[in-house]
Amino acid sequence: LFVALALLACNSALALALPKYQGRIVDRVVRKERGAFRNAVVQYLYLMIAQGLCQAAYQAAFSVVSRNILFGVRTTLFKSVIRQDTAFFDGTTSGHLTSRLTNDAQVMMAPIQASLASLLSNSIMLIGGVTMCFATSYELSMLAFVVVGPIMYLWDLYGNWSKSLSRRVLAAWAEANAVATEALHHIRTVKAFVTEDTETKKYDEACGEALRLGIRDALGFGLTSALTGYLDLGTGVLILWEGGRIVLRGDGSLTIGELVTFQLYWTTMNAAYQALQGLVTSFTRSAAAAEKVFSLI
């Protein structure tokens, strides 16, 4: 884990250095400094190669870590279930238990398994991006960060709403698993009393409820993404407008290369924030599954 964290920090530091060198390249072109331009391009190339190597190494390391975590959760959960007394199994169907071992455990661990490295990497990129934005241009930074508050508020509203829906979706899937497991386990009884249509109807109703809730969640996610997306686009226009005015003043407070650098840092920071927001939403959904899983441990 420590090796993975070290590689992650190295990769993030190199990624934060790239926009600075891109701005330098633009300034060298504007000033027609051929020698300095070639040196800047070569340095930029070396940084990209180093970053690619670090990225491949830390992703492999975090993949191993996440698989070990998933293994530990599954084995611990099964040990806890199998050691319960008989009365516990009398009050719980095998379908609900297998749902905890499969669906709930997988939903709970999916964000960690798929996004552990992404969470740490984007956190570093977000903090580093904010720092470099202010270091490049304080005036543009104050203008750009006006929209951060509304965006955070909108995603917080959606996250809380999505969590409540996720609980109901998992409950619906658990009910569907229970119906299917019991029907298949007692298939001779189902055939003897000709209740195939009844069992199918129960299963369809449970799956249909999960589908309806999932559609509502998808619509809410789309609406939130649209609103925050328009705020991001408007901020990008403001940055280019105000940054262009500062450059055209000609007082040397901001060069063309620095404007490009700021735009790249803002894009990097915004991408990291969006990725983190998606992870937070995913973690929020998995929290509902975690509550069910840890109730058995």
Side-chain angles (χ1 to χ4, degrees):
L1 180 60
F2 292 107
V3 174
L5 291 174
L7 290 170
L8 173 62
C10 181
N11 175 77
S12 299
L14 292 172
L16 287 171
L18 291 178
K20 191 71 174 179
Y21 278 87
Q22 288 175 297
R24 289 181 182 177
I25 292 172
V26 173
D27 279 337
R28 300 299 183 267
V29 171
V30 172
R31 297 170 186 170
K32 298 182 180 180
E33 300 174 350
R34 295 181 181 273
F37 168 73
R38 285 193 296 268
N39 292 334
V41 171
V42 171
Q43 292 173 356
Y44 183 75
L45 178 61
Y46 287 152
L47 283 175
M48 289 187 65
I49 294 173
Q51 191 214 359
L53 293 175
C54 288
Q55 184 177 14
Y58 92 76
Q59 285 182 347
F62 272 101
S63 178
V64 173
V65 172
S66 63
R67 290 176 185 274
N68 286 331
I69 294 175
L70 180 59
F71 170 78
V73 169
R74 285 186 179 276
T75 55
T76 302
L77 179 59
F78 183 74
K79 288 178 183 178
S80 299
V81 171
I82 205 68
R83 290 174 182 173
Q84 298 288 338
D85 55 22
T86 307
F88 171 80
F89 294 98
D90 291 338
T92 307
T93 63
S94 58
H96 284 88
L97 291 177
T98 54
S99 178
R100 302 281 180 90
L101 288 167
T102 54
N103 290 340
D104 293 348
Q106 187 63 38
V107 171
M108 182 189 74
M109 293 302 301
I112 298 177
Q113 185 178 12
S115 306
L116 179 61
S118 179
L119 174 64
L120 297 175
S121 176
N122 284 300
S123 297
I124 296 175
M125 295 300 293
L126 178 62
I127 297 173
V130 172
T131 303
M132 296 306 296
C133 279
F134 277 98
T136 304
S137 175
Y138 180 82
E139 185 176 350
L140 288 180
S141 298
M142 293 303 296
L143 176 66
F145 283 100
V146 171
V147 301
V148 173
I151 291 176
M152 293 179 63
Y153 176 72
L154 289 174
W155 280 113
D156 182 63
L157 287 179
Y158 168 73
N160 292 330
W161 181 66
S162 179
K163 182 179 180 180
S164 64
L165 285 182
S166 295
R167 291 197 189 97
R168 296 168 62 186
V169 168
L170 289 173
W173 283 124
E175 181 64 26
N177 283 338
V179 171
T181 301
E182 295 301 319
L184 294 175
H185 185 68
H186 302 93
I187 189 63
R188 295 182 182 276
T189 304
V190 172
K191 292 291 186 180
F193 288 92
V194 196
T195 58
E196 294 93 335
D197 292 339
T198 302
E199 297 299 327
T200 301
K201 183 179 179 180
K202 290 180 181 178
Y203 188 79
D204 289 345
E205 289 176 352
C207 291
E209 178 65 15
L211 176 61
R212 286 190 292 272
L213 294 172
I215 291 174
R216 288 178 59 187
D217 188 23
L219 293 175
F221 178 79
L223 178 61
T224 305
S225 298
L227 293 175
T228 56
Y230 281 124
L231 288 174
D232 289 337
L233 292 173
T235 305
V237 173
L238 287 176
I239 290 173
L240 291 175
W241 174 263
E242 184 62 23
R245 291 180 64 250
I246 296 174
V247 172
L248 291 175
R249 283 203 310 247
D251 55 4
S253 60
L254 188 70
T255 65
I256 296 177
E258 289 174 341
L259 176 58
V260 172
T261 297
F262 182 88
Q263 185 67 36
L264 290 172
Y265 277 129
W266 172 258
T267 302
T268 299
M269 186 208 67
N270 192 43
Y273 176 77
Q274 294 293 337
L276 285 174
Q277 192 59 61
L279 290 175
V280 169
T281 301
S282 181
F283 282 131
T284 301
R285 292 171 180 170
S286 68
E291 292 174 359
K292 294 177 176 292
V293 171
F294 286 116
S295 66
L296 297 178
I297 296 179

